[in-house]
Amino acid sequence: MSKMDLDFMFDWVEYSVVVIMLILSLLVGAYYTFLNKQKTYSDYMLGGRTMGVLPVSMSIVASFISGISILGLPTEMYLYGSQCMTNNIANLIIMTVAGVFYLPVYHKLQLSSLLEYLELRFDSNVRFMGTLMYTMASVLHLPAIIYVPGLAFNQVTGVPLHIITPIISICCLFYTAFGGVKAVMWSDTIQNMFTLAAVIFVILIGSWRLGGILEIWRINEQGSRLEIFNMDPDPFARNTFLTVTIGSAFFFLTNIVANPGTVQRFLSVPSIKHIRWVLIYSLIGFYIIINLCTFLGFVLYARYHQCDPVAVGIIKNPSQMVPLYVMEVAKDYPGLAGLFMSGVMSAALSTMASYYNATGGMLYKDVMEVFFPTVHHSEAKQFTIIKVIIFVLGIISVAMVFVVEKLGTVLQMSVSLLGAVYGSILSLFTLGIFFPFVNTKGALAGSLTSLVLSGWIVFNAQYYIMNGKLQFPGKFTSIGGCSNSTLNHFSPRPELVFNYTGVGSEVLADNTVPQVYQLSYNYYTVLGTLTGVAVAMVVSLLTQSPDITTMNPDLFTPFVHRFMPARDGNLKSRPRKDEYVLTNQKELG
């Protein structure tokens, strides 16, 4: 299939489906901008704490399942096998941990911003450190989120990547900046429907065309793709049962309990009971989407196992494989390609909206309350400042797409870049909630050490990847089944055919690449978290520990209370950090 054929198949029907999805998203933003305006900061950022379980659950799932998942997970499965499916185990672990230890603390404190917790537990310096970390995570992650649907849309329409990405961003910025969290959540709900319908439809048609599920399973088994219990303990192996399970647990735990955008959604429901239902529904949603995307990878391998499209030269990047297959299938189903592209764009829009909304509100509230505590803006001016912040963040994200397109497969790239920061973020909240004896100096020292160490490893590893000195060839592929017309029409690259048939996948490193930079990308967040916690404990023990008897027990998970000494009887006469929270509760009515 030639590029010209792909362009031709994306006709007015396909464009119409994509436009309908974008218009629906914009209408939601327009509704909350003109007809149901958000009157207070609580309304704008937390939906007045009256949101329902269903839209919040779907919004959380949608914000996690970006285009990176829809295009990245199938490609990951095609190249490296099904080991990535063990993140199903990690999801169950982290949802349980989040619901038992972290989220009850946030809900009881009735925070209006997650990072308020760091000031209540430590001080304003630690709060600002958390603000800085999350802003860095947003700046690193957003370009990858925008890049993926832009790449796919470019492939099927021929429209240049750097024209598509600003258009996608502008649509998202409009309903995010003007509509607030309610617009974001309801847009996510609508977009989730497009995403789910697109993936299911493509899988059903693909399975039917390839001879059914059993045949797909047989082909993947022969190609060594069915691999889940690879128990190799080597931390430098790319994907094993341990690296994926442990790494995914730390990575997704950060997204659930230390991500202001996600916690913002949990705090938008009325009670802890509602939070638990959101966790359950979100877990079900994760299982459905992740396993559908993984099975789509099985379908890809069954289709291309004898004629790899990258090695043949049909596509340049493995991340283009899903759009290629969709366009092949869509020949007989008008609108299917448009539906799938709408799903990819919807997934990207929902994740982008989550980051934009949370980062805009966080930068305003946390910076103002840390550096300008005596300055008070009207609600209208607050909204204006937040909107400006969101639009600036959007411009930076689009500009950084030029950098992202030079890195590796989208899934590994995304996890790697976020891993540089996520360990530092998770360590701060873990220290605060579980370790009363850790002081401010320890928290700052641990967070900074974690950031420097993880960042150094991640960015050096990415440097070697960009220069071709660190490579991750996949499992066995072939071009032996390609027709002569296909081979003659394109420019095959036999050097891109992989021959490995063993367990796991190879890591090829030049002699100049130090061993530490070959650490599995799954372990970046683990390394950062453990480093931050360990350094903070040591520094706290070497310096003056806080007086635990004067600390508000609500700042710690209930399971820690039994190990804390009795509170000072004179506590009521002393200044308390939780007075700030009590003031916020009064303001919220």
Side-chain angles (χ1 to χ4, degrees):
M1 178 177 294
S2 69
K3 182 67 171 63
M4 186 179 297
D5 294 333
L6 293 177
D7 291 343
F8 178 75
M9 281 192 296
F10 210 85
D11 57 17
W12 68 270
V13 177
E14 322 302 333
Y15 280 111
S16 298
V17 177
V18 174
V19 170
I20 288 172
M21 182 276 297
L22 292 175
I23 289 175
L24 287 173
S25 299
L26 292 173
L27 286 176
V28 173
Y31 173 75
Y32 284 106
T33 300
F34 303 110
L35 301 179
N36 191 351
K37 294 182 179 181
Q38 313 304 290
K39 298 178 181 179
T40 67
Y41 181 88
S42 177
D43 286 339
Y44 187 85
M45 296 302 298
L46 297 171
R49 302 185 193 271
T50 59
M51 295 297 295
V53 169
L54 181 60
V56 172
S57 303
M58 295 192 71
S59 180
I60 290 174
V61 173
S63 64
F64 276 64
I65 308 301
S66 65
I68 293 172
S69 300
I70 296 179
L71 301 186
L73 274 174
T75 303
E76 174 75 19
M77 220 302 304
Y78 175 90
L79 290 174
Y80 303 106
S82 59
Q83 187 64 69
C84 58
M85 291 185 70
T86 49
N87 60 25
N88 284 313
I89 300 173
N91 285 336
L92 178 60
I93 294 171
I94 65 104
M95 287 301 196
T96 303
V97 171
V100 172
F101 296 106
Y102 290 85
L103 294 176
V105 175
Y106 302 151
H107 178 265
K108 190 165 188 178
L109 293 173
Q110 286 290 287
L111 303 175
S112 57
S113 166
L114 171 63
L115 297 175
E116 281 181 26
Y117 174 81
L118 297 179
E119 182 171 5
L120 297 174
R121 173 60 180 85
F122 299 108
D123 66 7
S124 59
N125 293 318
V126 180
R127 180 178 182 177
F128 180 68
M129 173 62 71
T131 303
L132 181 63
M133 296 298 100
Y134 185 71
T135 303
M136 289 178 61
S138 299
V139 171
L140 289 172
H141 194 39
L142 278 167
I145 297 170
I146 301 170
Y147 167 72
V148 171
L151 179 68
F153 205 76
N154 163 258
Q155 181 182 350
V156 299
T157 65
V159 179
L161 173 68
H162 298 294
I163 291 178
I164 298 170
T165 49
I167 294 174
I168 295 173
S169 296
I170 289 171
C171 292
C172 183
L173 288 169
F174 173 79
Y175 71 78
T176 302
F178 292 98
V181 74
K182 287 185 177 179
V184 170
M185 288 192 191
W186 283 111
S187 296
D188 287 350
T189 302
I190 294 172
Q191 292 160 1
N192 227 354
M193 297 300 182
F194 277 84
T195 304
L196 192 61
V199 175
I200 290 175
F201 200 28
V202 169
I203 287 176
L204 289 176
I205 295 173
S207 299
W208 173 68
R209 289 170 61 124
L210 291 167
I213 294 176
L214 293 179
E215 177 64 14
I216 291 173
W217 195 264
R218 183 190 66 79
I219 294 172
N220 278 270
E221 185 176 26
Q222 288 183 345
S224 304
R225 260 54 183 185
L226 302 185
E227 179 182 298
I228 294 180
F229 296 104
N230 172 11
M231 306 306 292
D232 184 356
D234 183 5
F236 301 101
R238 185 180 180 276
N239 274 0
T240 67
F241 182 88
L242 293 177
T243 62
V244 174
T245 304
I246 297 174
S248 295
F250 276 75
F251 184 83
F252 284 112
L253 183 63
T254 309
N255 268 320
I256 292 291
V257 305
N259 183 321
T262 309
V263 175
Q264 172 191 27
R265 285 157 170 72
F266 282 114
L267 296 180
S268 69
V269 297
S271 68
I272 191 66
K273 180 180 178 180
H274 289 86
I275 288 177
R276 294 193 180 104
W277 279 111
V278 169
L279 283 168
I280 293 172
Y281 289 162
S282 298
L283 180 62
I284 295 172
F286 289 149
Y287 279 147
I288 293 173
I289 296 291
I290 288 174
N291 288 303
L292 283 174
C293 290
T294 305
F295 189 79
L296 181 56
F298 290 146
V299 173
L300 288 182
Y301 185 73
R303 167 63 183 87
Y304 297 119
H305 69 288
Q306 292 182 332
C307 188
D308 182 80
V310 179
V312 172
I314 299 175
I315 55 177
K316 296 180 179 180
N317 190 314
S319 301
Q320 297 176 306
M321 197 170 297
V322 175
L324 173 69
Y325 180 69
V326 171
M327 294 306 292
E328 287 187 5
V329 171
K331 289 186 297 184
D332 302 322
Y333 302 92
L336 175 59
L339 177 64
F340 191 85
M341 283 309 307
S342 296
V344 174
M345 294 179 68
S346 295
L349 286 169
S350 60
T351 308
M352 290 162 59
S354 174
Y355 273 95
Y356 284 143
N357 181 262
T359 307
M362 175 199 71
L363 283 175
Y364 170 78
K365 189 170 185 64
D366 295 317
V367 170
M368 289 299 298
E369 291 183 351
V370 170
F371 294 104
F372 308 100
T374 60
V375 177
H376 300 285
H377 294 137
S378 65
E379 297 285 357
K381 193 166 185 178
Q382 287 182 33
F383 294 162
T384 300
I385 295 173
I386 292 173
K387 291 169 187 174
V388 170
I389 293 172
I390 291 174
F391 277 102
V392 170
L393 186 61
I395 293 171
I396 294 172
S397 302
V398 172
M400 285 188 64
V401 170
F402 288 93
V403 178
V404 168
E405 62 181 328
K406 298 183 182 299
L407 301 179
T409 60
V410 291
L411 186 66
Q412 178 171 338
M413 171 190 63
S414 175
V415 174
S416 298
L417 293 178
L418 285 177
V421 184
Y422 266 19
S424 179
I425 297 174
L426 182 59
S427 67
L428 284 177
F429 289 94
T430 300
L431 288 165
I433 285 177
F434 286 97
F435 303 100
F437 70 89
V438 171
N439 59 24
T440 298
K441 292 180 180 178
L444 288 172
S447 179
L448 284 170
T449 305
S450 170
L451 179 65
V452 171
L453 177 62
S454 299
W456 180 264
I457 293 175
V458 170
F459 286 104
N460 274 284
Q462 293 302 309
Y463 169 79
Y464 286 117
I465 290 173
M466 289 177 64
N467 286 278
K469 294 184 178 181
L470 183 59
Q471 299 180 11
F472 306 93
K475 290 178 174 292
F476 176 81
T477 55
S478 172
I479 58 174
C482 298
S483 65
N484 290 331
S485 60
T486 299
L487 294 173
N488 293 331
H489 186 77
F490 296 100
S491 301
R493 294 176 289 175
E495 71 275 9
L496 296 182
V497 174
F498 305 138
N499 299 309
Y500 184 74
T501 58
V503 177
S505 57
E506 294 180 300
V507 177
L508 301 183
D510 188 88
N511 293 332
T512 60
V513 181
Q515 184 73 35
V516 67
Y517 302 139
Q518 300 174 40
L519 179 71
S520 171
Y521 71 98
N522 290 296
Y523 278 152
Y524 291 151
T525 303
V526 180
L527 174 67
T529 303
L530 297 181
T531 299
V533 170
V535 171
M537 287 183 173
V538 172
V539 171
S540 297
L541 291 173
L542 294 177
T543 56
Q544 185 176 3
S545 297
D547 184 356
I548 299 177
T549 62
T550 66
M551 300 177 75
N552 177 12
D554 290 347
L555 295 169
F556 307 98
T557 185
F559 289 86
V560 173
H561 294 174
R562 68 188 70 179
F563 304 106
M564 297 178 67
R567 300 183 69 188
D568 192 329
N570 297 321
L571 180 61
K572 291 183 179 180
S573 64
R574 302 180 181 183
R576 291 174 54 181
K577 285 186 175 182
D578 60 324
E579 287 177 353
Y580 180 74
V581 174
L582 295 176
T583 301
N584 281 340
Q585 289 176 326
K586 291 178 181 178
E587 290 177 354
L588 293 171

